[in-house]
């Protein structure tokens, strides 16, 4: 057993962080996007943001060089949950909200797999909220892609746990009264070790975040702003509108000063209360500008960043908010099992079931 309480498996990536991908068998054959496409007709509404996310994932996975039979996509219920049908890997279309639970069983029993969860804001944060937060706090070796379109799309346009207050939908004709979840704040509050946000239409940024998530040791949650052009069109339009997006999008890069704006004239400064405030670069000293530290074990900075765009998209951070190293649940469980086997032997299930007091019923 290694000195950090793990079983010592895994490798270290270029950033000095431990990764468990070394346990997943590699392929000797060069892969392309076509290798990850199935013969199934992709059936989402024309113009849906899911198409862009699917294409980004299919074109990014060949970079990992993993055997396709050692990759699994697990989904729940919703538009996004059709994902496993379109990935030429193993997959499981499970039940509403339970994808993290099913994926946890798979990841902990099969360390030779790269396990991905595909879910939506309704699937993950309503009926599945309990499963999501416990996967995050346990740090199971899962990669969770949370498609957030702020609406229930599959069931035709009811408000979701991320819909804004006052949202008028078929189920809230007078406007929603519910205060919405912030998925990143929730994940950071659950001590998620990798928490990120990206946008369906920004393929380069989306794939850069996916690369980092794939290499992460434990649970990686990636919130993807995804447009539902049928029931909630233009929900994130300010972040896509070329005339304003650069002025309101705060791109986070670990170790870099948080400066943004079309002319790089804006910056973030940490206030005495711990929150962030937007300042003009010309009005502050270099030392006052916050430097992003995704590896800080204290989650307070990441949490403050996750609150920056509340309640509207006036200034919206995207990128990796938190990326800290902690032993994964899978590693700790394997070490515990190895220790029990070493001290007590392999055991005999049949003998265990028939041991102790028994009764015969006539």
């Amino acid at each position: 057993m290694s000195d950090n309480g793990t079983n010592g498996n895994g490798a270290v990536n270029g950033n000095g962080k431990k990764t468990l991908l070394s346990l997943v068998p590699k392929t000797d054959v060069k892969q392309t996007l076509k290798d990850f496409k199935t013969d199934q007709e992709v059936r989402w509404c024309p113009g849906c943001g899911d198409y862009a996310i699917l294409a980004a994932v299919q074109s990014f996975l060949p970079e990992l060089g993993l055997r396709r039979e050692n990759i699994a996509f697990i989904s729940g219920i919703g538009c996004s949950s059709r994902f496993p049908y379109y990935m030429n890997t193993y997959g499981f279309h499970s039940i509403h909200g339970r994808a993290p639970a099913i994926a946890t069983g798979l990841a902990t029993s099969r360390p030779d797999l790269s396990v991905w969860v595909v879910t939506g804001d309704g699937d993950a944060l309503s009926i599945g909220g309990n499963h999501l937060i416990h996967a995050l706090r346990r740090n199971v070796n899962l990669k969770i892609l949370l498609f957030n379109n702020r609406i229930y799309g599959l069931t035709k346009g009811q408000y979701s746990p991320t819909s804004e207050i006052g949202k008028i939908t078929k189920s809230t004709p007078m406007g929603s009264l519910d205060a919405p979840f912030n998925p990143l704040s929730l994940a950071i509050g659950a001590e998620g070790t990798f928490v990120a946000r990206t946008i369906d239409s920004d393929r380069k940024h989306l794939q850069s975040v996916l690369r980092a998530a794939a290499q992460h040791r434990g649970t990686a949650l990636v919130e993807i702003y995804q447009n539902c052009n049928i029931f909630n069109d233009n929900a994130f339009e300010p972040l896509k509108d070329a005339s304003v997006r650069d002025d309101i999008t705060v791109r986070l890069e670990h170790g870099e000063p948080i400066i943004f704006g079309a002319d790089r004239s804006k910056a973030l400064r940490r206030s005495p209360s711990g929150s962030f405030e937007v300042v003009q670069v010309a009005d502050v000293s270099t030392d006052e500008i916050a430097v992003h530290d995704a590896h800080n074990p204290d989650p307070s900075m990441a949490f403050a960043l996750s609150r920056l765009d509340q309640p509207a998209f006036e200034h919206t951070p995207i990128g990796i908010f938190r990326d800290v190293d902690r032993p994964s649940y899978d590693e700790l469980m394997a070490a515990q099992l190895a220790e029990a086997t070493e001290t007590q032997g392999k055991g005999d299930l049949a003998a265990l079931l028939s041991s102790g007091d028994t009764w015969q019923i006539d």
Side-chain angles (χ1 to χ4, degrees), residues 34-42 58 83-89:
K34 292 182 179 179
D35 292 311
F36 287 90
K37 289 185 175 182
T38 69
D39 60 357
Q40 300 298 300
E41 179 188 359
V42 181
Q58 288 174 330
F83 218 84
Y85 295 109
Y86 310 135
M87 296 299 304
N88 195 16
T89 63

Side-chain angles (χ1 to χ4, degrees), residues 249-272:
T249 303
V250 182
R251 295 181 177 268
L252 302 175
E253 295 287 346
H254 173 71
E256 296 294 327
I258 308 178
I259 299 174
F260 64 102
D263 55 0
R264 305 282 291 170
S265 63
K266 301 178 183 179
L268 293 187
R269 177 175 63 185
R270 197 92 185 263
S271 70

Side-chain angles (χ1 to χ4, degrees), residues 2 241 285 325:
S2 62
D241 184 345
S285 67
D325 194 31

Side-chain angles (χ1 to χ4, degrees), residues 1 333-348:
M1 185 181 298
M333 188 183 78
Q336 198 172 70
L337 290 172
E339 182 179 354
T341 300
E342 183 179 351
T343 57
Q344 303 178 45
K346 288 188 174 182
D348 185 328

Side-chain angles (χ1 to χ4, degrees), residues 54-72:
L54 175 64
V57 171
Q58 288 174 330
S59 59
F60 140 78
L61 281 177
E63 297 179 14
L64 299 181
L66 305 178
R67 289 170 52 179
R68 286 177 293 135
E69 56 267 39
N70 289 86
I71 301 174

